[in-house]
Amino acid sequence: MLVGAATERKQTVIDAVSDDQNVSTFDVETMAAALDVLADNQPRCLVTAQQLPDGSGVELCKQVTTLSPETGTVLLVGEDEEEVAATAIEAGVDSYVRGGPEYDPVQFKAAIRTAIERGQNTQTEFLRRFRALQGASQDLTAASSVKEACEIAVTVARDALDLPLSGIHLRDGDRLEPVVITEEVNETFGAPPAYTPEDDAFVWSAYERQESKRFRQTEEIDDVNESETPVRSGMILSLGEHGIHLLTSTSPKAFSETDRFFADLLASTTEAALDRLEATEQLRSERDRFARLFESVPETVIRYRFENGDPVIEAVNEPFETVFGYDESEVRGQPVDELLVPAEERTVANEINDRAADGERVQREVMRNTTDGPRPFLLRNAPWDDGEGGYAVYIDISDRKEREETITALHGATRSLVRADSPEAIAEVVVETVRDVVGVPYAAVFRYFEADDELRAVNVSDESIGEFGPPPTFEP
């Protein structure tokens, strides 16, 4: 691609690229037009004049190097533009050639070939790094711990990206603690420090803002004395809330735009792996907490999963085995309803299953088959977030139901006593209530007869007569 006044050297460029005169070129006049071409194409080489209507050749080369590292760059400078040479080299321009009277076509051709060769080497290196990152991404996805993920990231930075002075610091309270550091870091700088807001504002601000920073020279950082550290340039890569990946060098301006591109890509992949591991650890902790609760609660608990809309037992706690009479090994994988639900309760059970499968929390009184026959329970469920199962808690309410029935019967007995119209009727209600409601079969009511000065039985339960015979009469 030829930009600006460089288009005048088109034939020389073609001769430098190939003996084939059919080589195609993009000829544009402005920086904007060149960047438009670059958006849809990948030229082997960019040749640009320094003076452009909407910018400079140095700035264009810098952007091309960032957007397309595989494209070689050659800058043509005029006889009055010698001062831009140092700026061009600093910006990463592959070659610069003098124009004007000092123009040398042989030198120009050599510069183009050098730039193209560099671009080809860059492309090869780019692909190598990219494939290494693809492999690292797979390894990070398979990592089972935070430490393992950090070790993978630091190793890739050192071995695949050729960035040996590499280390990851993760947040621990109000500090960024070193977790994994390359041996090269230890050899060059000694034991790495922990970073704090008070002592390391530059590093900490990058962490807090969750933005990556690159410093080309240490003198760019406030409050850093070059005599106190061998670090001369570096990159602070954000790992989100987890921490930072710090890459440094003892040389100034050591990191290219390509280095930054791959380092940012590695950091993003590492952060995603740490997010996944954090979520996995939270889920594991939550499940461990439920497991401890599962084993310790006195109520009967079932862990279930849904299969074709029906709850199937995954695990039960010890009270389940006592109440329902099944060992866990017998019921694992069995449908809950087939084991526990009486036939007359199946319709209600299906309704409960539908609500639970929709993630709804259910609380309902139900009847379930136990070792002692059908018994009433208060059923409560705790569905999992993914809706694939949950926990069912059965609280035995037999005693409560019995008390409720007793109180209801006593209220009925009270009403019968109010309606009774004779001592004999009252005695009959009392004996029946004591026997049938209170559960005491041996009952009798005696009445005092003043004329005879004695207590005589007015009503006696059949059980009492069968056990003790006719009741006696009591006299003073």
Side-chain angles (χ1 to χ4, degrees), residues 409-425:
L410 288 174
H411 283 319
T414 300
R415 290 192 293 271
S416 296
L417 287 171
V418 170
R419 292 194 298 268
D421 54 4
S422 66
E424 290 75 13

Side-chain angles (χ1 to χ4, degrees), residues 247-291:
L247 301 165
T248 56
S249 173
T250 56
S251 301
K253 306 174 184 177
F255 299 96
S256 67
E257 290 298 331
T258 302
D259 291 333
R260 185 172 187 173
F261 171 79
F262 281 108
D264 285 340
L265 191 59
L266 175 60
S268 298
T269 307
T270 304
E271 181 182 353
L274 294 176
D275 286 342
R276 175 185 62 80
L277 289 166
E278 182 179 63
T280 300
E281 181 58 33
Q282 289 176 348
L283 180 60
R284 184 184 297 115
S285 298
E286 187 71 9
R287 286 182 174 175
D288 288 346
R289 187 176 69 83
F290 267 112

Side-chain angles (χ1 to χ4, degrees), residues 84 108 143 163 269 288 330 386:
V84 305
F108 187 34
L163 303 172
T269 307
D288 288 346
E330 298 179 75
D386 58 14

